[in-house]
Amino acid sequence: MRRYDPADEERIRSRSLVREWTRSGLLAAAQMAHLEADLRVDLRRTNLFLRLVLFLFALLIVAASVLLIITLSGMKDDENIAMLTAIASLACLGLAEYLTARFRLYRFGVEEGFAVAAVALLTVSAVFMASRVRNGRPGESQVLAGLIVAAPCAFAIYRRFGYIYAALAAIVCAALIPFHTSLSPEMQRAAAAGILVLVFATARAKHLLHGDEFPGDEYGMIQAAAWAGLYFNLNLQISFGRIGGWFYWSTYALIWLLPIIGLLMALRDRDRLLLDVNLAMALVTIATNKSYLDLPRQPWDPILFGVFLMAAAIMIRRWLSKGPEGQRYGFTPLSLLTAERRALAVVSAASAIVQPGIPAASSAPTKPELGGGRSGGGGASGSF
Amino acid sequence: MTILGRLDRWKTAGAITELQYNTIAPLVRKDRFSVFIELNALLYLGVLSFVGGLAWVAQSYFATLGDAVILSALTLVLGVSFYYCFSKAPPYSSGEVESPNLAFDYVLYLGCLVFGIELGYLETRFHLLEDYWDFYLLFSSVLFFVLAYRFDNRFVLSLGLSSLAGWFGLRISRIGFIYGDSLRPYAIAYGFLVAGAGAWFHTRSIKRHFTETYFHLAASVLFISLVSGVIDGRRTELYLLGLLGLAAVSIIEGVRFRRFAFVVYGTIYSYIGISAEVLNDLRELTPVVMYFVISGSLVVLAMVLLARRFGREE
């Protein structure tokens, strides 16, 4: 099923690790060259940035080409457009296959663009086909048809080429299907939760089987995404659910339970992605708690929340540092690889666009105007 | 073969030493697991939340609590933060300096953000500079730059850069083509100033690890300004010429220094600019989509050649 040899995929991942160890000073540059010779693969790759450009422009070419055929042929009938996009989808898939087979492209961008375009075009085809069906709310059957086609197709692309984002798109599409049916809002949420639990359980079983090495790393990502999706679906404050009664309070209980269960699993398995997802979930639970309970928000809430986060971080660091060799149960607050510091450098540079703003005036009758805030200054430009 | 299996084989073959094996294998087995990123994330979010709350309290309760209480509280937080940083900081070095502890960078960041709030509060309540209030931003940015270099803090550097942008009248946190005709020259001046400052510090080997932050910000602001000039400016040709020149520099230097993000900037922004200019006169859909097919193919071809020649490495 997979287009690439699993041994090549393993070598590519090992190669990335060797480079990371070298950057982190654990291996010498000469050793890296020697080890990389052992990990050589016959695949053509490029860096992330060029891959991104190639991906975007491949999508642009496909979209423009299909539109060109439609305009040149004067096609207006939904059925014909559906047929054309289905044929174009097959052509794109064929191109993606050809490029990977002929030129041995691996995450090169162009072949990815064609593979993703194949899914998008088949989805568009399904939407146009379903436009003949007239029931329910306008457009509902088209969206449903699109999701029903997109979910398995995106998953098939993941299985064939290994694009993890295709698997994530498949999960999102599958989870959205119940929301476009005539089920009650409670049942829609429950059905979506059922789909996500199924995905999570399947991916987790495979992740535990394979560990962090290929293909276990991919299952780890799918598992974390399904878990995050489950939480998002159940937290009615962030997913705009207007449901009351027992279901509402069940979701309230679950948004506390899920991060706890997830954190326990993540800490036991030392699964970073799952750990980060559950930490984020826990923070969102605390942040949305008052909204859930319909309690008024107070201006000092963010202060308490901030103090809690800072105190938690400092206490955990101290506790870990005071353990033997500066660690406890294998957990250390120290940076072990440069990838961690690089990630931090990116966040700190990007913080230029995420400066804390000042909330809009709520009860300030004599509020003077400053003529609008500007960026930076840590809020110095805002108005009180 | 698993990575542990490979490590075993490399050790046996003598490709790595016993010591290296004993350092790397526990990382692979996760016998040692770092929570460095997670702790940093908690501290960063904690600081943002805390400062946001301080501002909200000041805004909501200045009438009830009174200026003295609010200013005293802000000054206390500010004083404690800066005292902590100055008392714990290692000596200045023009190279990269390791923070004395995990919280250090965030304490400084907190102090700087509180300083910004306090200045904003003072001006709002007492109108000290009135029409010249934006000089607070200039003053803040100068202070933030000094502190960023003294304590080697990228968060504060970003704060300084965004405060300086504020003084120029720009809003970095907004994404899109936001610069109107009146603001565009200031945005371009800001972009060149930031790029020039980054290059100046780099050539003098002062905190070279900051250089990319300067260049990314400068490139983003310059490209957005020039593209917005091409799309809705009055002197389109001039802006297009500038855009193409900047794109050429960005792509060439990006390839030269293997910083491919700049290749992306140059390619995408110049494509948008050229497309805006070409499509401006086209009214029919067919030539428009034909343009995208042909131009898109040319870009893909160029990028494939570039990737094969220079961008092979992951």
Side-chain angles (χ1 to χ4, degrees):
Chain A
M1 181 69 183
R2 191 53 80 91
R3 192 77 192 74
Y4 305 104
D5 185 352
D8 281 346
E9 300 249 27
E10 278 170 21
R11 280 193 207 104
I12 287 168
R13 282 154 175 79
S14 300
R15 203 178 154 104
S16 305
L17 284 173
V18 165
R19 288 187 178 191
E20 181 52 35
W21 296 333
T22 309
R23 278 194 291 260
S24 304
L26 303 177
L27 293 175
Q31 283 179 306
M32 181 181 83
H34 181 69
L35 300 181
E36 280 195 340
D38 190 34
L39 298 169
R40 194 160 289 152
V41 289
D42 175 30
L43 291 169
R44 196 164 281 160
R45 304 164 67 204
T46 189
N47 61 66
L48 180 68
F49 299 104
L50 296 185
R51 180 184 167 195
L52 184 72
V53 175
L54 287 166
F55 177 80
L56 289 176
F57 278 92
L59 280 179
L60 178 74
I61 293 168
V62 172
S65 302
V66 172
L67 206 56
L68 184 64
I69 296 170
I70 292 173
T71 51
L72 284 177
S73 61
M75 214 178 271
K76 286 198 170 67
D77 183 47
D78 285 355
E79 248 178 89
N80 287 338
I81 294 174
M83 190 63 76
L84 172 73
T85 46
I87 293 168
S89 165
L90 284 177
C92 284
L93 189 62
L95 260 173
E97 288 281 351
Y98 174 75
L99 289 171
T100 48
R102 173 76 177 79
F103 299 105
R104 305 287 295 145
L105 300 186
Y106 179 89
R107 310 290 194 269
F108 202 82
V110 190
E111 84 291 6
E112 289 181 76
F114 286 124
V116 169
V119 177
L121 286 168
L122 206 59
T123 306
V124 171
S125 176
V127 168
F128 274 94
M129 282 295 234
S131 65
R132 291 156 56 89
V133 182
R134 299 262 183 265
N135 60 5
R137 280 182 293 168
E140 193 78 325
S141 55
Q142 282 116 299
V143 177
L144 183 62
L147 292 171
I148 288 171
V149 169
C153 288
F155 187 70
I157 288 295
Y158 158 67
R159 294 288 293 171
R160 183 67 178 154
F161 297 100
Y163 307 142
I164 198 72
Y165 54 81
L168 303 187
I171 295 171
V172 171
C173 290
L176 285 175
I177 289 173
F179 293 97
H180 297 277
T181 62
S182 55
L183 294 171
S184 66
E186 291 87 349
M187 283 307 293
Q188 287 176 345
R189 298 249 165 198
I195 291 168
L196 291 166
V197 167
L198 189 68
V199 173
F200 172 78
T202 312
R204 180 158 182 78
K206 289 191 177 271
H207 177 60
L208 292 176
L209 182 70
H210 294 283
D212 284 333
E213 303 214 16
F214 176 80
D217 56 342
E218 292 180 357
Y219 292 124
M221 284 186 237
I222 295 172
Q223 161 196 260
W227 191 249
L230 180 65
Y231 177 85
F232 181 78
N233 173 50
L234 291 175
N235 189 327
L236 301 177
Q237 295 300 323
I238 56 169
S239 57
F240 313 108
R242 288 182 188 149
I243 302 170
W246 65 270
F247 191 86
Y248 182 85
W249 293 112
S250 306
T251 60
Y252 178 67
L254 282 169
I255 64 160
W256 284 97
L257 272 177
L258 284 177
I260 294 169
I261 296 168
L263 278 173
L264 290 175
M265 284 192 295
L267 291 173
R268 193 190 58 198
D269 301 342
R270 292 176 190 180
D271 185 334
R272 181 173 307 284
L273 196 55
L274 199 61
L275 177 69
D276 294 346
V277 161
N278 281 287
L279 270 178
M281 283 160 53
L283 297 185
V284 174
T285 295
I286 296 169
T288 55
N289 184 49
K290 276 200 163 182
S291 312
Y292 241 105
L293 299 173
D294 208 16
L295 295 172
R297 289 183 173 277
Q298 302 297 340
W300 55 84
D301 288 345
I303 296 179
L304 296 179
F305 188 51
V307 169
F308 166 72
L309 293 181
M310 290 187 281
I314 290 167
M315 280 163 62
I316 292 169
R317 187 198 68 80
R318 286 197 169 186
W319 181 69
L320 293 176
S321 301
K322 284 182 180 171
E325 295 177 31
Q327 61 179 42
R328 284 182 198 265
Y329 309 107
F331 291 95
T332 172
L334 301 174
S335 166
L336 299 175
L337 298 170
T338 53
E340 292 151 2
R341 292 198 175 273
R342 280 203 308 277
L344 198 61
V346 171
V347 172
S348 56
S351 69
I353 54 170
V354 196
Q355 308 294 356
I358 297 172
S362 54
S363 57
T366 56
K367 184 175 72 100
E369 290 299 326
L370 264 184
R374 295 185 186 178
S375 68
S381 58
S383 57
F384 287 94
Chain B
M1 182 185 272
T2 64
I3 188 67
L4 274 174
R6 283 187 202 283
L7 281 173
D8 275 329
R9 207 181 69 196
W10 291 334
K11 188 184 72 172
T12 313
I16 59 171
T17 63
E18 181 86 27
L19 181 66
Q20 285 174 324
Y21 177 86
N22 290 337
T23 311
I24 295 170
L27 299 181
V28 175
R29 284 194 301 263
K30 293 185 181 174
D31 291 342
R32 287 194 84 196
F33 186 89
S34 169
V35 287
F36 176 79
I37 284 284
E38 288 73 17
L39 294 178
N40 274 281
L42 289 180
L43 284 169
Y44 177 59
L45 292 174
V47 167
L48 290 189
S49 181
F50 183 81
V51 171
L54 274 185
W56 193 3
V57 166
Q59 178 191 21
S60 305
Y61 291 102
F62 68 87
T64 323
L65 295 175
D67 295 327
V69 172
I70 288 175
L71 286 172
S72 303
L74 291 173
T75 309
L76 182 69
V77 176
L78 178 71
V80 170
S81 304
F82 283 178
Y83 173 76
Y84 177 83
C85 292
F86 279 97
S87 61
K88 294 269 180 186
Y92 172 79
S93 160
S94 56
E96 193 163 2
V97 178
E98 189 77 16
S99 295
N101 60 56
L102 188 78
F104 183 84
D105 285 348
Y106 299 95
V107 174
L108 181 65
Y109 189 47
L110 172 73
C112 291
L113 290 172
V114 171
F115 176 75
I117 291 175
E118 191 156 4
L119 278 191
Y121 188 87
L122 277 172
E123 179 55 29
T124 309
R125 298 292 296 148
F126 304 109
H127 308 290
L128 300 175
L129 293 184
E130 294 191 324
D131 288 346
Y132 301 99
W133 68 268
D134 55 340
F135 277 92
Y136 282 121
L137 292 170
L138 184 63
F139 173 61
S140 304
S141 69
V142 170
L143 178 73
F144 295 156
F145 280 119
V146 170
L147 292 173
Y149 276 84
R150 169 61 187 87
F151 296 112
D152 203 330
N153 190 312
R154 278 197 183 93
F155 285 107
V156 178
L157 177 71
S158 296
L159 196 61
L161 287 168
S162 61
S163 297
L164 186 62
W167 187 68
F168 273 83
L170 313 175
R171 199 188 286 260
I172 290 174
S173 53
R174 276 198 192 166
I175 296 165
F177 301 107
I178 52 162
Y179 309 134
D181 269 347
S182 59
L183 210 50
R184 198 168 296 121
Y186 294 104
I188 293 171
Y190 172 77
F192 278 116
L193 178 68
V194 170
W200 189 84
F201 283 120
H202 188 84
T203 52
R204 272 149 190 77
S205 297
I206 301 170
K207 303 285 180 195
R208 281 189 156 194
H209 52 290
F210 284 177
T211 307
E212 269 196 69
T213 305
Y214 281 98
F215 283 170
H216 278 290
L217 188 64
S220 301
V221 170
L222 283 173
F223 275 122
I224 289 174
S225 312
L226 292 170
V227 167
S228 74
V230 173
I231 291 171
D232 63 17
R234 287 180 193 149
R235 281 169 287 184
T236 305
E237 295 77 18
L238 200 66
Y239 284 119
L240 186 63
L241 206 65
L243 176 65
L244 295 179
L246 184 66
V249 171
S250 185
I251 292 171
I252 291 167
E253 296 299 301
V255 169
R256 189 175 144 211
F257 291 103
R258 309 195 76 74
R259 293 288 182 271
F260 288 95
F262 293 94
V263 178
V264 176
Y265 294 150
T267 309
I268 302 275
Y269 284 114
S270 61
Y271 186 79
I272 295 171
I274 292 169
S275 300
E277 188 61 11
V278 171
L279 299 177
N280 196 30
D281 298 328
L282 297 179
R283 295 284 173 267
E284 301 260 323
L285 185 61
T286 308
V288 170
V289 286
M290 209 174 266
Y291 164 79
F292 281 119
V293 174
I294 295 167
S295 61
S297 304
L298 288 174
V299 172
V300 166
L301 195 68
M303 284 292 120
V304 167
L305 291 174
L306 192 70
R308 289 185 67 176
R309 178 80 177 83
F310 302 104
R312 285 187 181 180
E313 300 300 306
E314 175 68 2

